[in-house]
Amino acid sequence: MACSKDDSFKLADGVTLPLAENFVKDIDGKTVSLYTLQNQHGLRADITNYGGRIVSLLVPDKDNVFDDIVTGYHTIDEFIQSEEAYFGALIGRYGNRIGQARFEIDGEEYELNANNGPNSLHGGPGGFHNVVWDAEQPDGQTLVLTYLSPHLEEGFPGNLQTTVTYVLNDDNELVISYHAETDRATHINLTSHAFFNLAGEGSSTINDHFLRINADHFTPVDESLIPTGEIQPVENTPLDFREYHQIGERIQSDHPQMVYGNGYDHNFVLNPNNNSDELNFAASVYDPVSRRKMEVYTSEPGMQFYGGNFLSGNEVGKRGEPYLHRSSFCLETQHFPDSPNQPGFPSTLLLPGEEYYTTTVYKFSVKSD
Amino acid sequence: MACSKDDSFKLADGVTLPLAENFVKDIDGKTVSLYTLQNQHGLRADITNYGGRIVSLLVPDKDNVFDDIVTGYHTIDEFIQSEEAYFGALIGRYGNRIGQARFEIDGEEYELNANNGPNSLHGGPGGFHNVVWDAEQPDGQTLVLTYLSPHLEEGFPGNLQTTVTYVLNDDNELVISYHAETDRATHINLTSHAFFNLAGEGSSTINDHFLRINADHFTPVDESLIPTGEIQPVENTPLDFREYHQIGERIQSDHPQMVYGNGYDHNFVLNPNNNSDELNFAASVYDPVSRRKMEVYTSEPGMQFYGGNFLSGNEVGKRGEPYLHRSSFCLETQHFPDSPNQPGFPSTLLLPGEEYYTTTVYKFSVKSD
């Protein structure tokens, strides 16, 4: 029998796999380790319980060549020491910014640890990206991470029992499910901060990728990237991705939002799919050369598109290439930034007795011509 | 002892009180009646359990002259037959408009009774304004109204057990508390549609009233008064009431929002008070002649300011005066219009096991010079 295209399995040049031994470390009295998920089509995700980080993600291109499409490192120490704090990480308790690092619940003010000027970013310096999760692998395609965030950790109220489940299924979907319960009223907004380059991590740019975002509106920000409270149409702005555009096409725009964001770093208000028992289509992105394509589906009302504007080239990644300015992107599904202080935005309040449950799917395929 | 100003009690010329006998009627097998609340300062509210409507509301002016400041009628039949369906009424299940009279929950589509072109307005034609509530008066300052809205009434899912409590307290506040529980996921947005003229109902205009609204933003609408999904600043628009303005000052503006609304008919995004165990200050309005002043406080995130644009003079009110164009106004505290179909707005979803609870206070006083 001739070898059909589907039977071949090749790694792209320069790709190596992470070694578990480089991720074994004791932190905060817990053991950090590396966990591997693999599906029947050969897709593979390596995840560490340090920050719940996706260490590598192997996805095929049009010729069934597998490449690692997420930024990161092959040792735990590099993750810990990196200038970029969020590579591949789970983000909590609150993805994106909370203005002035404060909010109030029932008349009580909570002061958060500020780590972004006067604001709180991604849960603060000791956020979920930097904690060690308890890990369990019920099967070779599933990783269950749990973490009990104590009352007032980083300033957030309530003991928050959190479970994040990664599943790499045979539909070539990486499914991330977030669950949490609290014993006091609190605000919560969990997400994943995977940085992607569909041409393979370490490739020089993502500005050639084509991106579509299912959003008629976005939430504009001020110069400190805190929402103004407005919801504006994307129409006639560089944030109009309702049809495919190359990311770089309008990247030099002098639109104030592009100036404030130093490029793309904005929350999009996802259009509803009118079928609320299915996840909402959020975005689709593909690399025109390899034709690797990623679609994002989510139960969340918003998504941050971040174009890697803060990458500087100082960090050198898994195959020895520097992570250059705008050489990877993030699609962070979420509630809107600063919701605790924005009365017009969907609420992020979680009460005792309620269950926080959200799901996001990153689905991989090959873009047809 | 000389009669001090505070001891005097005068009714303004032409004011008469409603007679209970004019409100006795059997509707849908239930008995309609009139209930009277009175506080120690002489403020008085007459309320019928038909639609939970405020029939009259006596409030003093700077000379302690009491006038009836809400539009309406002195007979139940006039309320039923009026061109204006909402005078004084409780509004449910959903205040304001739901676009295309539809929404979806968990993949199931619910078609509502359209009564405003293709849209649903104020819960549909058989909304809470037209049902007979069960009434109980635990004391002379309190009226408790209950209504069980059956599953799919006007198209809304779930059996909704609703309680609205009116309290006229000795701080000269009319407090309206709304409570509801459902046995299926549903959308809910209850409010009061009292129409006010602080110079006395039947006075010719409210355009001379001074109004302040605690809102930096509003939700713009399209020509059919359905929200576009945007949240825009009020700055540099006729909707900027962050300081007192006479209602009529900018009423002739050709701003598109004023054209679409035929004047003021907009939802304001209330600024948070940073003290979430207290009600939020929403608005303050006073009549410059009588100096009667009303403040609005609420737990709701929004408030509709309606300037009486649809009044035509065809309806003749309690003292025989026609209700002219823009001769009364409404301040309807609420979640935002069309929230079930607007992913960027605070959610109006109510789940089984949850309690819907909101409070709005209309506080009366005399504006100091």
Side-chain angles (χ1 to χ4, degrees), chain B residues 7 85 93 134 146 174 194 206 212 219-221 234 253 258 283 288 319 324-326 330 332 362 368:
Chain B
D7 293 323
R93 295 189 185 188
D134 293 319
T146 54
L174 182 65
I206 47 88
R212 187 156 84 85
T219 53
V221 289
V234 296
S253 162
M258 297 295 284
R319 73 187 101 188
L324 301 173
H325 187 55
R326 297 176 181 156
C330 304
E332 303 153 63
Y362 297 96
S368 54

Side-chain angles (χ1 to χ4, degrees), chain B residues 16 27 56 175-176 179 194 196 219 221 241 247 251-252 274 323 341 356 359 363 369:
Chain B
T16 54
I27 301 178
S56 71
V175 181
I176 314 181
H179 181 271
F196 299 96
T219 53
V221 289
F241 283 95
I247 291 173
I251 193 76
Q252 302 298 344
N274 288 333
Y323 288 138
N341 299 308
Y356 174 89
T359 302
K363 181 180 178 66
D369 293 321

Side-chain angles (χ1 to χ4, degrees), chain A residues 104 106 217 230-231 274 276, chain B residues 104 106 228 230-231 274 276:
Chain A
E104 221 159 303
D106 292 340
H217 296 97
E230 295 160 75
I231 295 179
N274 289 332
S276 47
Chain B
E104 221 159 302
D106 292 340
T228 62
E230 295 160 75
I231 295 179
N274 288 333
S276 47

Side-chain angles (χ1 to χ4, degrees), chain A residues 16-309:
Chain A
T16 54
L17 296 176
L19 293 175
E21 64 194 56
N22 291 333
F23 284 85
V24 176
K25 191 180 181 89
D26 279 348
I27 301 179
D28 300 336
K30 289 182 175 176
T31 303
V32 171
S33 195
L34 189 70
Y35 301 86
T36 300
L37 311 181
Q38 195 146 6
N39 78 2
Q40 68 176 25
H41 306 298
L43 276 76
R44 171 175 163 151
D46 289 273
I47 300 168
T48 172
N49 57 327
Y50 171 68
R53 291 167 187 254
I54 303 172
V55 169
S56 71
L57 181 58
L58 293 184
V59 170
D61 72 358
K62 62 180 173 20
D63 301 318
N64 217 29
V65 175
F66 283 70
D67 208 335
D68 182 356
I69 60 159
V70 295
T71 59
Y73 307 98
H74 272 168
T75 67
I76 182 68
D77 289 334
E78 286 172 289
F79 271 107
I80 293 171
Q81 292 153 14
S82 175
E83 246 180 37
E84 171 50 61
Y86 306 111
F87 277 152
L90 296 178
I91 300 296
R93 295 188 185 188
Y94 198 97
N96 211 286
R97 288 169 182 78
I98 296 178
Q100 300 302 313
R102 64 164 299 287
F103 57 72
E104 221 159 303
I105 299 176
D106 292 340
E108 187 143 344
E109 175 155 6
Y110 294 96
E111 289 186 25
L112 312 176
N113 291 342
N115 59 342
N116 184 253
N119 307 316
S120 166
L121 175 63
H122 293 330
F128 287 1
H129 60 292
N130 276 342
V131 305
V132 181
W133 296 67
D134 292 319
E136 201 181 342
Q137 247 191 306
D139 60 60
Q141 297 185 222
T142 305
L143 177 66
V144 180
L145 299 172
T146 54
Y147 178 67
L148 174 61
S149 174
H151 178 52
L152 295 181
E153 188 176 42
E154 296 296 308
F156 289 87
N159 292 291
L160 191 76
Q161 182 63 57
T162 312
T163 302
V164 178
T165 305
Y166 284 102
V167 175
L168 184 60
N169 69 27
D170 291 332
D171 295 326
N172 290 356
E173 296 173 339
L174 182 65
V175 181
I176 314 181
S177 304
Y178 305 85
H179 182 270
E181 295 185 61
T182 183
D183 58 3
R184 299 180 196 221
T186 192
H187 284 285
I188 181 171
N189 191 22
L190 305 182
T191 191
S192 162
H193 213 314
F195 287 65
F196 300 96
N197 185 320
L198 298 181
E201 61 86 28
S203 298
S204 62
T205 187
I206 47 88
N207 285 335
D208 58 344
H209 284 37
F210 285 81
L211 173 64
R212 188 157 85 84
I213 301 178
N214 181 28
D216 292 343
H217 296 97
F218 74 106
T219 53
V221 289
D222 64 18
E223 286 171 294
S224 67
L225 300 182
I226 297 297
T228 63
E230 295 160 75
I231 295 179
Q232 286 183 355
V234 296
E235 194 166 17
N236 297 321
T237 78
L239 286 81
D240 188 348
F241 282 95
R242 292 175 297 176
E243 311 217 325
Y244 275 119
H245 287 267
Q246 277 192 305
I247 291 173
E249 178 189 329
R250 299 161 295 182
I251 193 76
Q252 302 298 345
S253 162
D254 60 0
H255 189 287
Q257 287 297 309
M258 297 296 283
V259 175
Y260 295 163
N262 187 23
Y264 289 109
D265 195 358
H266 298 89
N267 173 61
F268 289 76
V269 179
L270 299 174
N271 299 332
N273 65 355
N274 289 332
N275 188 350
S276 47
D277 65 347
E278 291 184 7
L279 295 180
N280 203 2
F281 170 66
S284 178
V285 56
Y286 70 92
D287 163 34
V289 179
S290 70
R291 305 203 72 78
R292 280 190 199 88
K293 175 180 166 185
M294 180 174 81
E295 293 162 284
V296 183
Y297 297 85
T298 187
S299 59
E300 287 283 11
M303 185 186 71
Q304 190 84 6
F305 165 43
Y306 170 58
N309 309 307

